[in-house]
Amino acid sequence: MNIIAILSPERVFYKNEPIRELDEALKTQGFQLVYPTSSGDLVKLIEQNPRICGVIFDWDQYSMDLCIEINELNEYLPLYAFINTHSSLDVSLNEMRMVLYFFEYGLGVADDISIRIRQYTDEYIDAIIPPFTKALFNYVKEGKYTFCTPGHMAGTAYQKSPVGSLFYDFFGANTLKADVSISVTELGSLLDHSGPHLEAEEFIARIFGAEQSYMVTNGTSTANKMVGMYAAPSGSTVLIDRNCHKSLTHLLMMSDIVPIYLCPIRNAYGILGGIPKREFSRESIALKVAQTPHATWPVHAVITNSTYDGLLYNTQYIKETLDVHSIHFDSAWVPYTNFHPIYRGKSGMSGERIPGKVIFETQSTHKLLAAFSQASLIHIKGDYDERTFNEAYMMHTTTSPNYGIVASIETAAAMVRGKPGRRLILRSIERALHFRKEVQRLREESEGWFFDIWQPEIIEEAVCWPIEPGAPWHGFNNADADHMYLDPIKVTILTPGMDEFGTMAEEGIPAALVAKFLDERGVVVEKTGPYNLLFLFSIGIDKTKAMSLLRGLTEFKRSYDLNLRVRNMLPDLFAEDPDFYRNMRIQDLAQGIHRLIRQHRLPHLMLSAFDVLPEMKMTPHAAFQQQVRGNVETVELPDLLGRISANMLLPYPPGVPVVMPGEMITEQSRGVLDFLIMLCTIGIHYPGFETDIHGAQLTEDGRYLVRVLKTDITA
């Protein structure tokens, strides 16, 4: 980060010659100089080049207007204004808060000025690097000899082996030098929350609007368990979003607690629509408590916000309405909601404290911010017992955390701080909106069919679109007003074949075909439904990637309309079973799968699968205890009816549990089993389209095996 931009002053000797001398002096200091031709070019240069560490300009020529414009991009960037003896310094008290330094034009002073610019640059870098990351950088620079873990000793061990050398060259020296032991006292402790680790957590809490934040190095799956282990004591009752991540099912298996499920709605696409307002009422909860064996009034609630498909709640309503001591918002997919006004009131940390309640929010910092995989955060607002919480935290935290992950969490937070962070999120939203409009344009211009997009008919400005009651686009019956909102950066592409209310067309293109086509061209889909594809426009998506996706969609249409052979259009799929796909064309494959979906009435099955829950015969914890005792047996999936499932069953899509451990599918809830069998049917008929079901084992001959409790086991 040694690039300085210089806006050359008007061509007069007393200004140009000092700048020429300064150019030479700055290069001696190791700076790279760039010369934009106008203030407009300069602003664009700063916006697109975050390595610029300073700007030099003529005060008389550009004055405060330029400073304000640059400050909107990066309020921490040093600005160096050159003045003469007659320059007017009309700077307000508020404007003096800018990082603005003045130098007078003069000959023979370039060396002194360059030294000061080097000093101010170092201060700038020091100011933007967060505390733990700074301490880790400094430790690596010191190059100490350690006689503790890890055994590769800053990468030295790798360089003693041929394959180790390849590993070292791939990851680089600093990555390995930063992989240090918890014995390094100057870095503090992640477990005790001391030293730079504590400073990092306080720094993060300020940025995310929390009262306290905790860094987690093994993912939000673990963060969810930490919160649950603290908030729900043994024997208590907990409200759980049925649209929960499987980590929360694992929490139920680990902790002896009684779950009561809050049931979300869905539309025909399988898009998760969130929990209706009525489910949060005291009357509804009281009825569920009365109907659930061994249940008491719940002490804790877990809500998924946002849903996988990008629907956010009005969280203030939930906080004020739910009559529980603590609420946990599992916000794995939205770590950015504190950094743009369109998300105000839609996150766990939004707003002020709720008297008598504790609000937890877990976020996957790695999912849509710039942190390493497994990087996660826990935010807390409200009074809680820090020592007890930390025991739950340490219960799930390794004593050998990866400090590179820790630094990446803190750096991700630093990236979204202040105006640069807001601009990052704004650009992400703008790219998503532009892509959405391009799909709309291509659909209007295309002959025949083209992809559609799940969104309101008119999308102009950057907003989260409300799921309004009766609005035709979203397909949710009985939606509540001022309750759920669609995040614009979660883009759901629709393929032909079915509308939002489940009406099946005569012909269709199942989304799995498009996903395979894109994957073979280097574009990976986040989630694939029957006739929809989800794409995440995170801060790492640029125009090049967005155009690659758009090009992939248009290439699919062109190839599909030409009715190419499967072997030419989808060579990886062809390789799955060359004999089966030898002479098949893409339209035959699409219509074959579409006919299967119509035959099995997928929209009806998908809705009925979540309409009546399986019967809870015992808690997930009790069911898992039976499993570890060996009181289980294996049956084929169709034989699951009337048996108690030992595991959760979670098909992709939709990616949420449809059967929990300890639950039995009865005749009333048979729709769940019919839905699972239908998903498996497609893979039986068409190789390469097998359904991934967590909790079920797919055999080589195409059978799905599940584990159930033995028949003599009862609750």
Side-chain angles (χ1 to χ4, degrees):
M1 187 177 284
N2 283 304
I3 304 173
I4 289 184
I6 300 179
L7 268 177
S8 296
E10 55 190 332
R11 300 191 64 82
V12 292
F13 180 79
Y14 83 91
K15 291 183 178 181
N16 289 129
E17 186 59 21
I19 294 298
R20 186 193 64 77
E21 288 184 358
L22 182 59
D23 179 292
E24 296 176 0
L26 288 172
K27 287 176 180 175
T28 303
Q29 288 284 344
F31 288 104
Q32 175 188 345
L33 287 306
V34 293
Y35 285 84
T37 58
S38 67
S39 59
D41 284 346
L42 171 66
V43 171
K44 290 179 181 176
L45 184 72
I46 294 170
E47 187 170 7
Q48 297 176 20
N49 293 274
R51 284 185 169 81
I52 290 176
C53 61
V55 174
I56 296 172
F57 65 97
D58 181 82
W59 180 258
D60 294 333
Q61 194 170 345
Y62 296 102
S63 191
M64 184 52 68
D65 291 342
L66 177 63
C67 298
I68 293 172
E69 196 168 1
I70 294 173
N71 195 253
E72 284 300 310
L73 298 177
N74 183 353
E75 67 262 47
Y76 312 108
L77 186 67
L79 307 176
Y80 307 109
F82 273 77
I83 59 176
N84 58 53
T85 54
H86 302 292
S87 296
S88 174
L89 295 179
D90 185 15
V91 182
S92 69
L93 182 62
N94 186 56
E95 290 164 345
M96 283 299 291
R97 295 174 183 172
M98 294 183 182
V99 189
L100 177 60
Y101 304 98
F102 291 93
F103 298 116
E104 284 196 38
Y105 288 109
L107 297 176
V109 294
D111 288 340
D112 289 340
I113 293 175
S114 69
I115 290 171
R116 292 178 67 183
I117 288 177
R118 167 51 66 191
Q119 174 192 338
Y120 296 144
T121 300
D122 292 343
E123 290 175 0
Y124 165 64
I125 293 171
D126 188 69
I128 64 173
I129 299 178
F132 176 82
T133 305
K134 187 186 302 179
L136 185 61
F137 284 5
N138 290 336
Y139 176 82
V140 169
K141 287 177 184 177
E142 290 174 357
K144 292 183 177 179
Y145 290 112
T146 62
F147 290 84
C148 51
T149 61
H152 63 71
M153 294 292 170
T156 305
Y158 291 119
Q159 297 180 81
K160 297 180 179 181
S161 156
V163 65
S165 296
L166 294 171
F167 184 89
Y168 182 93
D169 293 343
F170 180 84
F171 283 102
N174 281 340
T175 299
L176 299 168
K177 289 176 181 177
D179 184 22
V180 299
S181 170
I182 198 170
S183 303
V184 178
T185 57
E186 56 259 55
L187 295 179
S189 170
L190 180 67
L191 300 179
D192 296 335
H193 311 283
S194 62
H197 279 93
L198 174 60
E199 293 177 47
E201 289 177 335
E202 291 173 341
F203 172 81
I204 289 166
R206 289 194 298 271
I207 291 173
F208 282 84
E211 293 174 6
Q212 182 65 51
S213 294
Y214 291 84
M215 296 184 290
V216 181
T217 59
N218 39 346
T220 303
S221 294
T222 297
N224 288 341
K225 294 167 195 165
M226 290 172 175
V227 173
M229 292 291 281
Y230 167 78
S234 178
S236 64
T237 299
V238 175
L239 296 171
I240 298 279
D241 188 343
R242 188 70 183 198
N243 170 32
C244 67
H245 186 260
K246 62 184 179 182
S247 61
L248 289 156
T249 305
H250 285 139
L251 169 68
L252 298 177
M253 295 165 70
M254 293 165 57
S255 296
D256 187 12
I257 54 181
V258 179
I260 290 179
Y261 298 110
L262 301 171
C263 297
I265 59 174
R266 283 164 175 77
N267 67 10
Y269 290 124
I271 292 173
L272 308 168
I275 302 163
K277 281 184 174 180
R278 63 179 180 274
E279 290 275 295
F280 298 113
S281 69
R282 185 176 177 84
E283 294 75 19
S284 174
I285 295 169
L287 181 60
K288 290 174 186 282
V289 170
Q291 294 173 340
T292 305
H294 312 297
T296 57
W297 192 262
V299 298
H300 180 62
V302 185
I303 311 295
T304 307
N305 184 55
S306 79
T307 68
Y308 204 154
D309 301 284
L311 293 180
L312 291 152
Y313 288 96
N314 170 359
T315 54
Q316 193 66 24
Y317 171 83
I318 296 173
K319 293 175 194 177
E320 293 174 352
T321 304
L322 263 183
D323 188 8
V324 292
H325 174 66
S326 58
I327 303 172
H328 168 200
F329 290 99
D330 178 3
S331 301
W333 292 95
V334 283
Y336 48 83
T337 46
N338 198 49
F339 309 108
H340 196 279
I342 70 168
Y343 301 112
R344 188 172 292 124
K346 300 176 180 66
S347 71
M349 291 298 104
S350 291
E352 303 300 321
R353 275 186 169 210
I354 301 295
K357 294 183 182 179
V358 186
I359 307 300
F360 299 92
E361 185 166 35
T362 52
Q363 296 176 339
S364 292
T365 326
H366 67 95
K367 277 189 167 72
L368 289 169
L369 294 183
F372 288 173
S373 291
Q374 296 186 207
S376 181
L377 286 168
I378 300 172
H379 304 300
I380 306 176
K381 188 172 284 187
D383 295 323
Y384 72 106
D385 187 325
E386 291 187 29
R387 293 182 64 182
T388 303
F389 184 87
N390 201 50
E391 286 299 317
Y393 178 88
M394 290 193 292
M395 210 178 290
H396 295 280
T397 302
T398 175
T399 54
S400 302
N402 185 301
Y403 283 9
I405 295 178
V406 176
S408 80
I409 297 172
E410 186 189 47
T411 299
M415 287 174 63
V416 292
R417 177 177 56 158
K419 294 175 182 176
R422 174 168 170 162
R423 183 166 54 86
L424 267 179
I425 305 304
L426 175 61
R427 292 292 178 265
S428 176
I429 296 169
E430 288 175 343
R431 278 188 289 273
L433 286 173
H434 182 263
F435 178 83
R436 289 171 178 273
K437 291 174 182 178
E438 283 298 292
V439 172
Q440 281 185 323
R441 181 184 63 81
L442 290 171
R443 181 174 175 81
E444 292 170 1
E445 295 176 358
S446 291
E447 294 184 8
W449 72 276
F450 193 68
F451 299 95
D452 203 352
I453 200 157
W454 190 64
Q455 63 188 20
E457 185 176 345
I458 299 174
I459 53 161
E460 293 298 338
E461 54 187 302
V463 295
C464 288
W465 299 295
I467 306 298
E468 295 174 326
W473 67 271
H474 55 70
F476 294 116
N477 294 319
N478 304 315
D480 294 306
D482 190 26
H483 188 49
M484 299 295 298
Y485 298 83
L486 175 60
D487 185 346
I489 77 159
K490 309 289 178 65
V491 179
T492 297
I493 297 291
L494 305 176
T495 62
M498 185 175 72
D499 68 16
E500 63 272 14
F501 295 105
T503 303
M504 303 290 295
E506 287 295 319
E507 295 185 352
I509 303 175
L513 290 177
V514 184
K516 289 181 181 296
F517 180 87
L518 293 173
D519 187 70
E520 293 195 19
R521 285 149 185 82
V523 177
V524 180
V525 179
E526 172 57 39
K527 190 191 77 164
T528 305
Y531 295 92
N532 54 84
L533 304 145
L534 176 64
F535 300 90
L536 309 178
F537 275 69
S538 67
I539 60 174
I541 296 296
D542 55 23
K543 287 185 178 180
T544 301
K545 293 177 180 177
M547 286 304 298
S548 295
L549 171 56
L550 205 58
R551 188 177 300 110
L553 296 174
T554 56
E555 287 178 0
F556 180 91
K557 172 182 166 52
R558 189 180 304 114
S559 301
Y560 184 86
D561 290 347
L562 290 171
N563 200 17
L564 299 182
R565 294 183 186 276
V566 171
R567 67 186 303 168
N568 297 325
M569 189 170 169
L570 299 170
D572 289 351
L573 177 64
F574 175 78
E576 295 264 351
D577 194 329
D579 290 335
F580 183 83
Y581 289 114
R582 189 168 307 281
N583 297 312
M584 188 177 293
R585 294 185 178 273
I586 189 64
Q587 292 184 15
D588 295 328
L589 174 58
Q591 299 320 311
I593 297 176
H594 181 67
R595 280 193 297 272
L596 264 181
I597 291 173
R598 289 187 67 195
Q599 176 186 335
H600 288 274
R601 299 192 305 150
L602 171 64
H604 170 76
L605 285 181
M606 194 152 42
L607 292 172
S608 63
F610 299 97
D611 188 35
V612 179
L613 297 182
E615 185 177 337
M616 186 171 70
K617 292 295 186 179
M618 61 180 69
T619 66
H621 176 266
F624 184 65
Q625 292 305 307
Q626 293 296 335
Q627 185 170 182
V628 296
R629 292 188 179 101
N631 295 326
V632 292
E633 57 190 11
T634 301
V635 300
E636 292 191 31
L637 182 62
D639 298 326
L640 187 59
L641 186 69
R643 302 297 300 271
I644 300 175
S645 179
N647 293 321
M648 76 175 105
L649 296 178
L650 186 151
Y652 294 94
V656 296
V658 294
V659 180
M660 293 287 192
E663 288 186 340
M664 175 189 289
I665 297 177
T666 63
E667 284 297 336
Q668 288 74 26
S669 56
R670 189 186 181 106
V672 175
L673 183 58
D674 292 339
F675 172 61
L676 291 171
I677 292 173
M678 188 282 303
L679 292 178
C680 300
T681 300
I682 296 174
I684 293 171
H685 286 80
Y686 293 94
F689 291 91
E690 293 78 13
T691 297
D692 178 18
I693 302 177
H694 174 105
Q697 177 187 357
L698 178 60
T699 65
E700 291 185 0
D701 58 355
R703 295 176 300 139
Y704 285 84
L705 306 180
V706 295
R707 303 189 88 186
V708 296
L709 301 190
K710 291 180 178 177
T711 53
D712 57 347
I713 300 298
T714 57

